[in-house]
């Protein structure tokens, strides 16, 4: 007991002393299968989650978009789109949503792709045929809100699309009013693009082929569609820009070295198209720009070629071009994306881990842009991108393997609310024991008449087991996430035992319980954590054996 009290005291002190960076997941929302990207209409506060529907490619099932209300978190509707949707973007001015479908209307993926246009008011759709493999990457579709023009990078992957002209790709230009299209020839394998709405210039990153010649950025004049070409480094994957300074940044995974041992960022002057080169980390990929602070961020896949140390985000001073390496995630994980909240000067990157045998990454790292200090936020399983609603200061992260999105309150902390101890679940009286080797989920706000609000983000529980014999272990975790590899309690001699547990709320506020051997389970609650900015705060972490 003394050990437990000491541990709780240490945790309380740690919670009080944590940086003001601390933010938490306030809700976990169910969406479709294999959610990949999320877009937000900041004007209507509607969230659009693109569900690929399959983990294999191409997918034989058409994709969907889950529409969620940003206030109530209720699902407003589900919209069918094309096969293998990969990227999306919103025009808040016209309330239109554009979804790039890699395989278009063809499940075999042998035809040109499409863009599904969703009317945000009615959820009715229109389909626009574009080039091959449109929007293959996260920044593969962009919009100029001033001219209401949409640009789609058609990657043209070659062998997967026999009709695609080898060695070249295109950008499809869509008129947002008429949906009429024009095609612009880009370089080899156009993958990402960025639009400067002030100058009406479009910049396309052409990744080329590994071991080949330098990659390029195609510069498109939005008025005339005339093009120019700028040489970059090897395997250019992303391009972003600062409209204030008219500087364009391209990440080169292999830098200037075909052996791919170092990465660089090419800086392009928008007025002259002259370039400078900055050394980045190992295999830089995603880019983000904060025009308010004139700082550029690039996510490096690893800190070194062996990925034995945590990866980094390279922060580039846009004026001096000096760099700072900020460690994020864990070793063997990679930053999945970089997004900047220009209002709060906070940077977000989810941590991916596809290493065989390792558990998926379950955190989003937030970086304070002023101090470069970091803080991990617990989310679902295999987060791979994030989207920010800067108006509400809310961050949305799709969890690829959970079929959920995590909602992170950018200025929200969780306060402990004490309640009179109340019994939520007693399987002896309802439902019977949980069979050994199985799990059961319980939607706690709906149980026991305990009046637990649906806004509760975590629960303070007392877990009791009444085994029928030996119980190897019990573990409890947020519903929707993978079962953790640590136990909450065990009873090897079959005695009735109880233990306290603080558990984050899962999908619809539910928690899941797994037992290695058949046992009855009793769940009592004595408090919950809800969004607030007062008193003690709770910061959930991925379960870990200390």
């Amino acid at each position: 007991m003394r050990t437990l009290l000491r541990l709780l005291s240490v945790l309380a002190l740690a919670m009080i002393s944590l940086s003001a960076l601390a933010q938490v997941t306030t809700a976990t929302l169910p969406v479709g299968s294999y959610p990949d990207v999320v877009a937000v209409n900041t004007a209507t506060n509607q969230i659009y989650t693109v569900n690929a529907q399959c983990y294999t490619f191409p997918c034989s099932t058409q994709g969907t978009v889950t529409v969620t209300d940003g206030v109530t978190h209720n699902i407003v509707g589900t919209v069918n789109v094309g096969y293998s949707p990969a990227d999306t973007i919103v025009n808040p001015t016209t309330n239109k949503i554009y979804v790039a479908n890699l395989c278009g209307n063809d499940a075999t993926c042998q035809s040109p792709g499409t863009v599904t246009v969703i009317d945000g008011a009615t959820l009715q759709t229109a389909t626009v045929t574009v080039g091959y493999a449109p929007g293959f990457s996260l920044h593969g579709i962009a919009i100029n809100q001033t001219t209401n023009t949409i640009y789609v990078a058609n990657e043209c992957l070659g062998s997967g699309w026999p009709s695609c002209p080898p060695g070249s790709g295109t950008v499809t230009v869509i008129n947002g009013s008429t949906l009429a299209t024009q095609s612009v020839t880009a370089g080899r394998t156009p993958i990402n693009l960025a639009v400067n709405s002030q100058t009406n210039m479009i910049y396309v990153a052409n990744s080329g082929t590994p071991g080949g010649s330098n990659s390029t950025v195609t510069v498109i004049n939005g008025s005339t569609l005339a093009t120019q070409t700028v040489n970059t480094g090897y395997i250019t994957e992303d391009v972003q820009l600062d409209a204030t300074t008219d500087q364009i940044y391209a990440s080169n995974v292999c830098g200037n070295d075909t052996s791919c041992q170092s990465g660089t960022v090419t800086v392009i002057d928008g007025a002259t198209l002259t370039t400078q080169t900055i050394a980045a980390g190992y295999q830089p990929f995603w880019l983000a720009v904060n025009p308010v602070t004139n700082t550029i961020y690039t996510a490096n896949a690893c800190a070194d070629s062996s990925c034995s140390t945590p990866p980094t985000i390279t922060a580039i001073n846009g004026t001096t071009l000096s760099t700072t390496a900020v460690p994020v995630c864990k070793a063997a994980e990679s930053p999945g994306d970089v997004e900047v909240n220009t209002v709060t000067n906070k940077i977000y990157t989810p941590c991916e881990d596809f290493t065989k045998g390792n558990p998926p990454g379950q955190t989003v790292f937030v970086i304070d842009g002023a101090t470069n200090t970091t803080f991990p936020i617990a989310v679902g399983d295999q987060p791979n991108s994030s989207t920010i609603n800067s108006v509400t200061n809310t961050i949305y992260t799709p969890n690829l393997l959970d079929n959920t999105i995590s909602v992170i309150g950018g200025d929200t902390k969780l306060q402990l609310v004490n309640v009179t101890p109340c019994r939520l679940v007693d399987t002896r009286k309802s439902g019977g024991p949980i069979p050994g080797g199985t799990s059961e989920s319980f939607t706690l706000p709906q149980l026991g008449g305990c009046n637990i609000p649906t806004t509760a983000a975590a629960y303070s529980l007392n877990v009791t087991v009444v085994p029928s014999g030996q119980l190897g272990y019990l573990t409890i975790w947020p519903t929707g996430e993978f079962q953790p590899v640590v136990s909450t309690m065990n009873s090897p001699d079959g005695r009735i035992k109880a233990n306290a547990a603080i558990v984050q709320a899962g999908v619809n506020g539910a928690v899941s319980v797994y037992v290695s051997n058949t046992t009855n389970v009793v769940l009592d609650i004595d408090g919950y954590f809800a969004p607030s900015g007062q008193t003690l705060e709770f910061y959930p972490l991925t379960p870990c054996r200390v």
Side-chain angles (χ1 to χ4, degrees), residues 89-94 98 141-152 172-177 193-203 220-223 225 241 243:
I89 198 165
V90 172
N91 187 340
T93 303
T94 62
Y98 301 88
I141 184 170
I143 191 167
N144 185 335
Q145 292 186 41
T146 303
T147 62
N148 192 18
T149 308
I150 301 89
Y151 301 89
V152 186
T172 299
V173 183
I174 304 174
N175 183 307
S177 299
L193 42 77
V195 174
N196 188 335
S197 58
Q198 296 182 19
T199 62
N200 197 15
M201 302 298 286
I202 302 89
Y203 302 89
I220 304 173
N221 184 309
S223 300
L225 299 188
L241 58 83

Side-chain angles (χ1 to χ4, degrees), residues 139 235-240 249-254 263-267 278-290 295-303 311-317 322-328 334-340 347-349 367 372:
H139 301 148
I235 312 183
T236 300
E237 290 290 351
D238 198 12
V239 60
Q240 293 294 303
Y249 303 90
S251 61
N252 308 303
V253 171
C254 296
T264 61
V265 171
T266 300
V267 185
I278 305 169
Y282 183 76
Q283 293 189 0
F285 200 103
W286 300 113
L287 286 164
V289 175
N290 187 341
T295 308
I296 302 89
Y297 300 91
T298 180
N300 307 301
C302 295
T312 61
I313 299 288
T314 299
I316 304 170
N317 184 307
S322 60
T323 63
T324 302
V326 182
V328 294
S334 296
D337 177 28
V338 188
E339 297 293 334
V340 174
I347 300 89
Y348 298 85
T349 183
I367 303 172
N372 284 335

Side-chain angles (χ1 to χ4, degrees), residues 86-155:
D87 197 14
T88 184
I89 198 165
V90 172
N91 187 340
T93 303
T94 62
N95 196 15
K96 294 290 193 297
I97 303 89
Y98 301 88
V99 182
N101 308 297
L102 290 176
C103 302
N105 300 315
D106 180 3
T108 66
C109 232
Q110 301 300 306
S111 305
T114 61
V115 169
T116 301
V117 185
I118 304 172
D119 186 299
T122 65
L123 299 188
Q124 293 181 331
T125 63
T127 301
V128 180
T129 300
V130 291
Y132 287 84
F136 185 80
S137 191
L138 190 60
H139 301 148
I141 184 170
I143 191 167
N144 185 335
Q145 292 186 41
T146 303
T147 62
N148 192 18
T149 308
I150 301 89
Y151 301 89
V152 186
N154 305 302
E155 190 168 1

Side-chain angles (χ1 to χ4, degrees), residues 465 467-473 490-497 517:
V465 292
S468 55
Q470 180 188 42
L471 173 63
Y473 69 96
N490 51 51
S491 181
D493 56 5
R495 288 185 298 164
I496 298 174
K497 288 188 175 181
N517 305 89

Side-chain angles (χ1 to χ4, degrees), residues 449-540:
C450 299
N451 297 318
I452 305 304
T454 57
T455 54
Y459 310 105
S460 175
L461 302 174
N462 193 71
V463 184
T464 304
V465 292
V466 186
S468 55
Q470 180 188 42
L471 173 63
Y473 69 96
L474 171 149
T475 187
I476 184 169
W477 73 96
T479 295
E481 296 184 12
F482 284 150
Q483 178 183 325
V485 295
V486 295
S487 66
T488 303
M489 60 189 305
N490 51 51
S491 181
D493 56 5
R495 288 185 298 164
I496 298 174
K497 288 188 175 181
N499 196 14
I502 296 176
V503 187
Q504 192 173 356
V507 176
N508 296 323
V511 300
S512 296
V513 178
Y514 171 90
V515 293
S516 61
N517 305 89
T518 299
T519 183
N520 278 293
V521 174
V522 180
L523 299 180
D524 298 314
I525 188 168
D526 58 16
Y528 62 87
F529 292 87
S532 177
Q534 305 296 322
T535 67
L536 295 179
E537 297 149 12
F538 168 63
Y539 305 105

